[in-house]
Amino acid sequence: MEFDDEDIAYEFYNRYAGDVGFSIRKFWHDKSSTNVIRTKKFVCSREGFNKRNTSDACQRKRADTRVGCMAEMTIKITPTGKYAIASFSNTHNHELITPSKAHLLRSQRRMTEAQKAQIDILNDSGVRSKEGHEVMSRQAGGRQSLTFTRKDYKNYLRSKRMKSIQEGDTGAILQYLQDKQMENPSFFYAIQVDEDEMMTNIFWADARSVLDFDYFGDVICFDTTYRTNNYGRPFALFVGVNHHKQTVVFGAALLYDETTSTFEWLFETFKRAMSGKEPRTILTDQCAAIINAIGTVFPNSTHRLCVWHMYQNAAVHLSHIFQGSKTFKNDFGKCVFDFEEVDEFISAWNKMIEEYNLNDNQWLHHLFEIKEKWALVYGRQTFCADMKSTQRSESLNALLKRYLHSDFYASQTSPRMPKVHMLIQASKAYTPAIFEIFREEYDMVMGCCLYNNDHTLSTSEYKVIDSAKHGEHGFLVKFDPNEIKVSCSCKKFEFVGILCRHALKVLDHNNIKELPSEYILKRWTKYAKIGSSQANRKCANDEDARVVLARRYGSLCRSYNNILSKAAENEEAYALLERTSLELMEQVDQIMQANKSEGKSKVDRNAGGTSTTSEVIPNFTVSNENDQMPSEVPNDPSENLQDKHF
C-alpha cells in the first residue's frame, strides 16, 4: 500500500489496530538533511519492556504494560514522494481486546467537536471535571460507551487553559507580581489555582488603586470585554471616575473563564483587597454569571446594566429592525434615557413593540423583565457618578497624559466668571471639570419657567418647565425653607451628585444665593483626597493580628509615599525629612518600650482605628457618612493636590 503522507499512514494503521483490538504508538523515524521523513515505524503499544525501579524507596509497584510485542508497520518514502509499507508484522504475544472495548484503548480514544463543545458548556457552568465526565458517561449509556476517559477530559481542559502559553510564562507572571510587591508592600495580588494546582485566575491592584477606590469607589464599572492578550483570556477591569471626571483603575484581572464561580472568587478577592468596602453602585454587562456573583458577594450594592453593551446586543438580536427602519434606534433610545415617569416609559415601550411588530421577540421580552436595571426612569434615584456605561469614551492612553496635570491645574487656575456668589463658591469647591457641569446647569436657570403649585407651613412645591426639554410636562420641585432642602423629580442630584437647573431655579426664587453644604459632595471637589482614608481606619475591625499588622504597614506606605517622592526632589525638604525621621524613630521606640514594660501586645488592635465620625480638613469638616461639604473652603489647596495616577 502507498500513502500520501505519514499522518495518513498512521491513521490507517490505527484503524486497523482498533478493528483487531490493540493500541499503537509512534516508535522512531529517520529524516534527511532537508528535514524530510524517509522512514517511520509504528508499533504496538506493548512493544519493548518497562524500566524497573529497583530502589528501596519505590513503594508503588506498577503493572507491566510492555511485554516485548513484535507487531509493527514500517513505511518508507518512494521516488514519487509517497510512502509505501516497507515491513509489517502481526505477531502479538499478548491478549487482544474485544471490539466492544477497543474504543477505550489509548490510541483509539477520541473527542468529537460536539463532545468538546459540551465539555466547554459544563466547565463554564462551574461543573468540575469528575462530575462533568459522569454526566457525559450517563448520556452515552455508561463509561464503557464513552470514547474518552476522565483523564482525557481533564487533559482537554488543561490544554485549553494552557493554550499558547509559552514555557516560563507562569514563572514570569509570579516573578513580576512579587517584584511589584517588593517595590511597594501595598501592592496586592492573588492567584487562584484549580484542583490540579494549575493557575487559573489572577487579580492585582497597586497601592494607588486601593487608595483611589477608598476615595472614589462609590461607583465602579466592571468590564470583561477586553481580549487583546495573546491567550484570548478575558481581561477584566474595575474602573471608576475621580473628582476630575477621569477614568481611574481600581484593579485588574486575567481570567480563565467567565463562570459564576470565577466571578465570585474575583469579587471576593477585590473586596478583600479593598479592606471589605463595597461599592454603592456597580455597572456591568448582561452576563448571567456576573449578575449571579454580584448578588452573592455584593448584596448591598445596586446593580445597573451597561447601556453601551445593551445597544451592542440589540444591534445583534434586532439587526433586521435596525437595518429596515430609520426611526427604531431613536425610539429605542428614548425608552432608555428620556422618560421621567414610569407610566410614560411603559406606554412608549408598548407602542414601540406594536409599531415594529416585535411582540414575539424573546430577547426584548427578557430585556423588559429586567428593565429596572437599565431604564434610566428606574435608576435616577441611584447615585452613578454620571456613568451609564462601562465603556469610557476616552482611551486610557490619552487619559494617562492628563493625569499628571489635572490636580495641579485645578489648584493653580480659576475660571473667569461674573461676580455671582454661588458660581464663585462652586468654582472654589469643585474641580474644573465638575464646575463646568455645574455652570452649565446654572446658565440654564434663566431658561426655566417656575409656577407655584402648593404651599404648606413646612414645604413648598413648584412646577418648573425647562425650555430645553420642549413641552409642558415640567418637573416637580419641593423646597423646605426651614431646613433649606430642595429636591427635584428629575433626580439629577441623586444620579450625578450635582444640583439640577430646576432646583437652582427654586433656590434663586427663594433668594437662596449660596449652595447649601449638603449639595456639594466631597467626591466632586478639589479636596476629595484630603483626610484619612477608610482603608487606614479599617484595621481596627480585623481580628487577626497578622492582618492588622499587614494592613497598618500598607497604610503607612501609602500615606508616606507622596511625602518621600516630594522630599527627594528638593535638598531642603530632604534634610527636613531626614531630621524628622530620626525624631519619629525615637518616639516610636519610646512607645514600643513603654508597651513592653506594661505587658501589652505588639499588635494593639485598638490603635489602628479611630472612633470619630468625621474628617477634619482646614476650615471645614466633612462627614464620612454623607460625603458632603459645607460652602466655606480653603483658598489655596495646592499643597495637597500633587497626586499622580498611573
Side-chain angles (χ1 to χ4, degrees):
M1 294 183 65
E2 287 188 346
F3 308 95
D4 290 337
D5 58 49
E6 67 273 16
D7 292 331
I8 296 177
Y10 173 85
E11 290 298 330
F12 165 77
Y13 189 49
N14 194 42
R15 287 196 302 271
Y16 162 79
D19 292 338
V20 174
F22 68 99
S23 182
I24 70 169
R25 58 186 170 88
K26 298 174 182 178
F27 187 53
W28 65 270
H29 63 264
D30 170 51
K31 287 186 177 181
S32 67
S33 59
T34 57
N35 207 35
V36 175
I37 293 178
R38 294 182 295 196
T39 307
K40 195 160 191 173
K41 186 175 184 178
F42 309 107
V43 299
C44 174
S45 63
R46 308 197 70 177
E47 180 273 342
F49 297 93
N50 294 97
K51 293 181 180 180
R52 296 187 178 275
N53 190 340
T54 58
S55 65
D56 295 337
C58 181
Q59 299 293 327
R60 184 180 178 184
K61 306 300 181 182
R62 297 180 180 273
D64 289 330
T65 57
R66 299 189 181 183
V67 294
C69 180
M70 301 298 294
E72 59 88 19
M73 185 183 84
T74 304
I75 58 174
K76 187 175 291 187
I77 197 168
T78 65
T80 61
K82 293 187 176 183
Y83 291 89
I85 295 179
S87 66
F88 175 81
S89 172
N90 195 29
T91 305
H92 295 275
N93 62 351
H94 56 87
E95 184 179 356
L96 300 176
I97 300 298
T98 60
S100 63
K101 297 180 180 179
H103 65 279
L104 297 176
L105 293 167
R106 184 167 185 174
S107 69
Q108 306 301 320
R109 298 201 295 265
R110 291 286 187 275
M111 268 190 196
T112 65
E113 291 303 318
Q115 289 171 331
K116 291 179 181 179
Q118 186 175 6
I119 292 175
D120 291 340
I121 293 173
L122 291 171
N123 185 62
D124 291 344
S125 302
V127 179
R128 298 167 67 91
S129 59
K130 180 179 180 180
E131 288 78 10
H133 184 259
E134 289 294 332
V135 169
M136 298 187 70
S137 296
R138 289 195 296 270
Q139 292 176 347
R143 293 186 181 182
Q144 70 281 359
S145 302
L146 201 61
T147 58
F148 57 88
T149 64
R150 180 187 169 193
K151 186 175 182 180
D152 297 324
Y153 189 111
K154 294 174 65 176
N155 286 340
Y156 167 73
L157 289 176
R158 178 178 296 184
S159 63
K160 178 187 175 186
R161 182 178 306 134
M162 303 304 291
K163 180 182 178 182
S164 301
I165 291 186
Q166 306 284 332
E167 182 179 358
D169 276 5
T170 300
I173 292 173
L174 286 173
Q175 186 65 49
Y176 173 79
L177 296 174
Q178 290 167 0
D179 289 346
K180 297 299 290 184
Q181 196 169 66
M182 287 291 290
E183 294 173 9
N184 189 334
S186 295
F187 182 88
F188 180 96
Y189 74 91
I191 296 173
Q192 186 185 38
V193 296
D194 63 8
E195 58 186 0
D196 300 317
E197 298 299 317
M198 299 295 294
M199 182 185 296
T200 55
N201 304 310
I202 309 166
F203 170 82
W204 67 94
D206 63 17
R208 173 58 61 192
S209 296
V210 175
L211 199 58
D212 277 342
F213 181 81
D214 188 64
Y215 291 123
F216 309 114
D218 44 8
V219 182
I220 66 172
C221 298
F222 176 69
D223 199 354
T224 60
T225 58
Y226 306 95
R227 292 178 181 268
T228 56
N229 55 88
N230 292 331
Y231 310 136
R233 287 187 169 199
F235 176 55
L237 277 177
F238 294 88
V239 300
V241 292
N242 64 10
H243 52 326
H244 297 288
K245 288 278 286 185
Q246 296 172 323
T247 300
V248 286
V249 178
F250 301 135
L254 276 174
L255 307 177
Y256 164 57
D257 55 23
E258 297 178 273
T259 61
T260 298
S261 59
T262 289
F263 289 125
E264 285 181 352
W265 174 86
L266 178 59
F267 294 156
E268 288 284 5
T269 303
F270 177 79
K271 186 161 68 171
R272 182 156 51 94
M274 304 305 163
S275 302
K277 178 180 176 180
E278 296 186 20
R280 289 168 58 182
T281 308
I282 304 176
L283 280 78
T284 74
D285 62 15
Q286 293 173 255
C287 173
I290 294 178
I291 295 173
N292 293 336
I294 287 176
T296 301
V297 182
F298 297 123
N300 300 318
S301 301
T302 300
H303 181 214
R304 299 283 298 169
L305 293 181
C306 164
V307 176
W308 184 88
H309 281 296
M310 194 172 67
Y311 269 107
Q312 297 300 310
N313 292 335
V316 174
H317 293 279
L318 307 172
S319 59
H320 60 294
I321 304 298
F322 277 100
Q323 294 174 5
S325 172
K326 295 181 179 180
T327 58
F328 177 75
K329 182 178 180 180
N330 184 54
D331 291 341
F332 185 71
K334 286 182 178 179
C335 290
V336 177
F337 296 111
D338 283 5
F339 296 103
E340 310 291 340
E341 301 294 335
V342 172
D343 292 342
E344 293 178 346
F345 163 77
I346 299 294
S347 177
W349 180 271
N350 291 334
K351 180 181 178 182
M352 180 186 72
I353 295 295
E354 293 293 335
E355 182 176 347
Y356 297 99
N357 194 24
L358 295 170
N359 289 285
D360 297 328
N361 189 283
Q362 293 300 314
W363 184 80
L364 278 176
H365 178 71
H366 173 69
L367 191 65
F368 185 75
E369 290 180 342
I370 56 173
K371 57 186 178 297
E372 290 82 3
K373 291 185 177 294
W374 56 265
L376 201 56
V377 67
Y378 293 99
R380 293 186 187 278
Q381 72 282 358
T382 302
F383 182 71
C384 290
D386 203 22
M387 290 191 290
K388 307 178 185 69
S389 170
T390 60
Q391 293 288 325
R392 301 285 295 157
S393 59
E394 305 97 340
S395 69
L396 287 178
N397 289 334
L399 285 171
L400 183 59
K401 298 176 182 178
R402 299 212 301 273
Y403 279 155
L404 304 179
H405 309 290
S406 298
D407 283 325
F408 180 78
Y409 174 78
S411 66
Q412 300 297 319
T413 61
S414 298
R416 294 182 180 179
M417 67 193 70
K419 293 184 178 180
V420 178
H421 182 75
M422 188 175 289
L423 287 178
I424 295 174
Q425 174 198 10
S427 69
K428 289 182 178 180
Y430 288 135
T431 62
I434 302 304
F435 174 72
E436 287 304 317
I437 297 176
F438 175 82
R439 184 171 183 169
E440 181 180 351
E441 291 296 319
Y442 189 89
D443 289 344
M444 295 301 295
V445 167
M446 294 300 295
C448 295
C449 298
L450 183 145
Y451 301 92
N452 292 337
N453 263 15
D454 187 25
H455 295 276
T456 65
L457 293 176
S458 59
T459 62
S460 299
E461 291 186 358
Y462 301 90
K463 180 180 180 181
V464 179
I465 296 179
D466 189 347
S467 60
K469 291 291 184 178
H470 303 295
E472 298 183 358
H473 175 272
F475 299 90
L476 180 62
V477 180
K478 295 182 180 180
F479 176 69
D480 183 346
N482 299 317
E483 299 290 335
I484 316 296
K485 290 185 177 181
V486 64
S487 63
C488 179
S489 61
C490 78
K491 302 294 184 182
K492 186 179 183 72
F493 180 76
E494 288 79 1
F495 187 79
V496 179
I498 298 173
L499 275 183
C500 63
R501 62 196 69 171
H502 322 115
L504 293 174
K505 180 73 173 183
V506 170
L507 289 179
D508 184 68
H509 177 75
N510 286 275
N511 296 319
I512 306 298
K513 304 300 181 181
E514 185 175 277
L515 275 176
S517 59
E518 62 189 284
Y519 298 115
I520 304 179
L521 297 190
K522 181 190 172 187
R523 68 108 58 223
W524 289 136
T525 70
K526 301 172 183 177
Y527 318 98
K529 297 182 181 180
I530 296 179
S532 61
S533 71
Q534 184 66 26
N536 297 352
R537 300 188 297 274
K538 184 67 178 178
C539 301
N541 299 325
D542 293 312
E543 297 181 354
D544 191 330
R546 293 171 300 176
V547 174
V548 174
L549 186 62
R551 283 183 175 162
R552 284 178 179 172
Y553 182 72
S555 173
L556 290 173
C557 288
R558 289 191 294 270
S559 299
Y560 284 91
N561 183 50
N562 287 335
I563 299 176
L564 296 176
S565 62
K566 293 177 185 177
E569 298 175 0
N570 181 275
E571 185 175 352
E572 184 179 353
Y574 171 77
L576 171 65
L577 198 60
E578 279 277 278
R579 295 192 305 271
T580 307
S581 63
L582 294 175
E583 296 174 2
L584 285 174
M585 182 58 72
E586 292 177 359
Q587 294 176 19
V588 169
D589 288 340
Q590 292 174 4
I591 293 174
M592 298 298 291
Q593 291 296 328
N595 285 347
K596 286 183 180 179
S597 63
E598 296 175 8
K600 290 186 177 181
S601 169
K602 291 183 179 180
V603 180
D604 183 0
R605 295 173 188 169
N606 292 328
T610 175
S611 60
T612 58
T613 59
S614 62
E615 301 174 0
V616 179
I617 303 173
N619 295 339
F620 62 88
T621 303
V622 178
S623 168
N624 291 328
E625 182 179 359
N626 298 324
D627 194 30
Q628 294 157 352
M629 191 188 78
S631 57
E632 186 179 356
V633 295
N635 294 322
D636 185 12
S638 59
E639 294 181 355
N640 303 303
L641 298 173
Q642 301 299 320
D643 298 328
K644 299 178 176 63
H645 303 261
F646 295 95

